Amino acid sequence: MRIAQDESLIRLAAEALPHGVVVVASDGTIALVSRELERQFGYSREELIGRPLEILLSEAWRTAHGEPREGLGRRRDGSEFPVEIRLSPLQVEGGTLLLASVVDISSRKQRDAANRAALEEQFEFERLVAYLTVQFIDLPVDRVNDTIRTALGLIAEALDLDRCTFYEIAADGTLTVPVSWEREGIPAVPSPMLAKERLPWAFEQVFSGIPVTFSHVDEIPSGEDRASYAVLGVKSTVTVPLSVEGQVVGGVAFNMMRSERRWSPETVHRLCVIGAAFGNVLTRRRSDEALASALAEVKHLSARLQAENVYLRREVNDRLGANIVVGQSEAIGRVLDQVKHVAATDSTVLLLGETGTGKEVFATQIHELSARHNHVMVRVNCSAIPATLIESELFGREKGAFTGALARQIGRFELANHSTIFLDEIGELPPEVQVKLLRVIEERHIERLGSPNAIHVDVRIIAATHRDLEREIAEAAFREDLFYRLNVFPVRVPPLRDRVEDIPLLVWRFVDEFSKAFGKRIDVISRENMTALQQYAWPGNIRELRNAVERAMIVATGPRLTIAPPTQTAATARRSTRLADVEKEHIRSVLDGTGWRIRGPGGAADRLGLRPTTLETRLAKLGLRRPKQL
């Protein structure tokens, strides 16, 4: 079919389009082509007119009606290129023609391929970072360097690098290389190297947290750095700083040695991401090393303390308010005011009060409110240590100081240096130890047994006793000068009978404590029961109350708790009112309660606030003898 009068109009329309146009006759031969199509395929118009369309396009053109189809175009020189074809019917005087628009999509295909390549490269990079991250999870410290070296090799292969160096840098500018990877024939970075002198500009950049990047050494602003990089054989580099807790401690250098490399922003960003991953490794390695060092030091100190027989232990107690004073009574409020005022000083404190009133709790409160609270308070129960050992326990001893002294021992005063020492039951100290304690208070120096060398100690002293020290002084059992040294700030802890309004608070504190220990829930204590507890005299004070609550919690079977207050015995009710008889019966009752044990913690002498020898003298005077059945 030939195009007649419509040819000029069709040609004009074809030439106006930005892509190639070919008009196909009903027999499939080319009837008209645009100049753009001539340019695309390299044919002249005369060479194409009357020839089949297959000379230009693959068979895909036959299915390109309506929707565009992709196919291949074939140039005059035989080369092929991707095209997009769209067929549209064209009515003319002689019948129907097909107008085929042909778009060269080579650029689009190249962009798509480049995008796919970029996405694949990004995927491979992310997979590499994920792999490296996994490799460093829970990695033992002794395997970190080998794993880093393997990681550097993987990075170099993935990015076609010549050398990757993981280095650490000190504040003085000394660079050391614990781990590096180099291609065969590529030299390693010399280590150690004073980078601050050889590479001043690069050192300043890295130490300021700024990556060092150049594709050619001429880009370096410092002549000294240019010369040094040339000597090192580095043609292009990206060096990423590594930080630990905000301080630059090293870096990772990615070097090109064989040829120069133009670093794209994407590549630099990826290397910085990898550098951050290595920074995390360095942070964890340093933390692990610090932890290992600390654990080794703790182990060393633990072994030393155990070898020296130093019993400096603080009970781990998660029970409610174990070292918090409980109470809102006026009596306890006055004591807490005293504690608050004296805690801010380093003055010696003497806690006075009956057994079981909680003097140690108040001592803890004073220490925790003081400037020394960051150190452990050292506790010494003077009545629990034999008289023959109390001196070495307090002041320490040298090896061989006496028979059985097989090792040097640090005393409690030395352990309490810069902290507080709590001397409980100070009235039990033997006279010879009282003399040495007086010197410590006056001079703040101690001497270990077996050593003439004085050791200075900065110790705050809190002492406690249930004894009447003034009476002890009168009986020549306690030194008067030591008493005045200790009695700088006396605090009298009230007995429970003088603070009965605190009993409900204390009861519920002990209930909470034993609820956790026994796994029992208590919701109710009757008002009558609480009133009965408040009416009892509690000669054993808080300790006795705690025991009563514990006994009740042991047998409790439901959410309602009944606490039976201790009852008076019939013999106690018929007690004589004569002073001698009262004293005799009281001593007998205490002896019966201890199984007639006189000495030691909890013994009769301890409960009565007497020295054992004094109690034995009174027993003889009152005619009290140990029953034969005991």
Side-chain angles (χ1 to χ4, degrees), residues 10-182:
I10 295 173
R11 185 181 302 278
L12 182 63
E15 296 299 344
L17 296 175
H19 45 263
V21 175
V22 58
V23 177
V24 184
S26 58
D27 60 357
T29 60
I30 299 171
L32 185 146
V33 296
S34 68
R35 287 190 177 86
E36 177 61 23
L37 188 128
E38 292 180 274
R39 188 195 65 76
Q40 287 177 336
F41 288 85
Y43 284 99
S44 67
R45 185 173 304 176
E46 289 72 17
E47 291 176 306
L48 293 176
I49 299 298
R51 302 188 67 179
L53 186 59
E54 283 79 7
I55 192 175
L56 299 178
L57 301 174
S58 62
E59 291 294 328
W61 74 270
R62 297 185 182 275
T63 62
H65 293 275
E67 297 295 327
R69 294 286 187 271
E70 290 186 6
L72 289 176
R74 190 176 301 109
R75 297 187 181 94
R76 190 174 189 279
D77 61 6
S79 62
E80 295 182 335
F81 63 102
V83 294
E84 184 179 86
I85 311 164
R86 182 192 296 267
L87 296 181
S88 302
L90 185 66
Q91 296 295 329
V92 296
E93 181 181 352
T96 301
L97 304 176
L98 286 177
L99 189 146
S101 64
V102 182
V103 180
D104 185 346
I105 58 174
S106 299
S107 298
R108 186 201 306 172
K109 289 288 186 180
Q110 290 172 357
R111 287 195 302 271
D112 292 345
N115 290 337
R116 285 195 298 272
L119 290 174
E120 181 64 24
E121 185 179 353
Q122 176 68 16
F123 174 74
E124 289 296 326
F125 168 74
E126 291 174 354
R127 188 171 62 177
L128 175 61
V129 172
Y131 172 77
L132 296 179
T133 302
V134 170
Q135 294 304 303
F136 289 112
I137 294 177
D138 296 329
L139 185 67
V141 174
D142 58 352
R143 290 181 50 202
V144 167
N145 283 357
D146 289 339
T147 306
I148 290 176
R149 184 177 291 105
T150 301
L152 292 176
L154 292 173
I155 295 167
E157 294 294 340
L159 300 179
D160 193 26
L161 304 174
D162 293 334
R163 182 172 67 195
C164 297
T165 305
F166 180 88
Y167 64 87
E168 297 182 45
I169 191 164
D172 65 354
T174 302
L175 180 149
T176 56
V177 180
V179 186
S180 66
W181 180 94
E182 304 87 17

Side-chain angles (χ1 to χ4, degrees), residues 111-347:
R111 287 195 302 271
D112 292 345
N115 290 337
R116 285 195 298 272
L119 290 174
E120 181 64 24
E121 185 179 353
Q122 176 68 16
F123 174 74
E124 289 296 326
F125 168 74
E126 291 174 354
R127 188 171 62 177
L128 175 61
V129 172
Y131 172 77
L132 296 179
T133 302
V134 170
Q135 294 304 303
F136 289 112
I137 294 177
D138 296 329
L139 185 67
V141 174
D142 58 352
R143 290 181 50 202
V144 167
N145 283 357
D146 289 339
T147 306
I148 290 176
R149 184 177 291 105
T150 301
L152 292 176
L154 292 173
I155 295 167
E157 294 294 340
L159 300 179
D160 193 26
L161 304 174
D162 293 334
R163 182 172 67 195
C164 297
T165 305
F166 180 88
Y167 64 87
E168 297 182 45
I169 191 164
D172 65 354
T174 302
L175 180 149
T176 56
V177 180
V179 186
S180 66
W181 180 94
E182 304 87 17
R183 288 191 182 278
E184 185 176 356
I186 300 296
V189 174
S191 176
M193 178 176 69
L194 194 57
K196 191 173 184 178
E197 293 184 359
R198 294 190 63 179
L199 301 164
W201 170 78
F203 173 81
E204 184 64 29
Q205 292 285 106
V206 171
F207 219 66
S208 299
I210 303 172
V212 171
T213 304
F214 61 84
S215 299
H216 190 280
V217 292
D218 289 341
E219 298 173 9
I220 303 172
S222 166
E224 193 169 354
D225 284 70
R226 287 196 297 271
S228 295
Y229 274 115
V231 170
L232 293 172
V234 177
K235 290 181 167 55
S236 305
T237 190
V238 173
T239 300
V240 180
L242 301 182
S243 299
V244 174
E245 297 180 351
Q247 180 180 359
V248 176
V249 295
V252 184
F254 305 97
N255 295 332
M256 292 299 297
M257 318 287 287
R258 298 168 298 170
S259 60
E260 295 176 355
R261 171 93 168 252
R262 178 63 59 182
W263 307 102
S264 67
E266 293 79 10
T267 301
V268 174
H269 171 70
R270 291 170 183 174
L271 292 177
C272 288
V273 171
I274 291 175
F278 277 95
N280 293 335
V281 172
L282 187 58
T283 299
R284 192 170 67 80
R285 187 180 73 176
R286 291 201 169 194
S287 297
D288 290 346
E289 289 173 348
L291 178 60
S293 176
L295 290 175
E297 180 66 14
V298 169
K299 185 176 180 181
H300 170 72
L301 291 175
S302 177
R304 184 179 66 123
L305 293 177
Q306 184 176 6
E308 293 172 346
N309 197 29
V310 176
Y311 299 100
L312 179 58
R313 296 184 183 138
R314 197 174 194 181
E315 181 182 2
V316 177
N317 192 340
D318 62 354
R319 298 179 301 186
L320 179 64
N323 62 347
I324 298 176
V325 176
V326 176
Q328 297 178 349
S329 64
E330 183 179 351
I332 210 68
R334 287 194 299 268
V335 176
L336 289 175
D337 283 343
Q338 290 180 292
V339 165
K340 180 179 178 181
H341 285 95
V342 77
T345 72
D346 278 337
S347 298

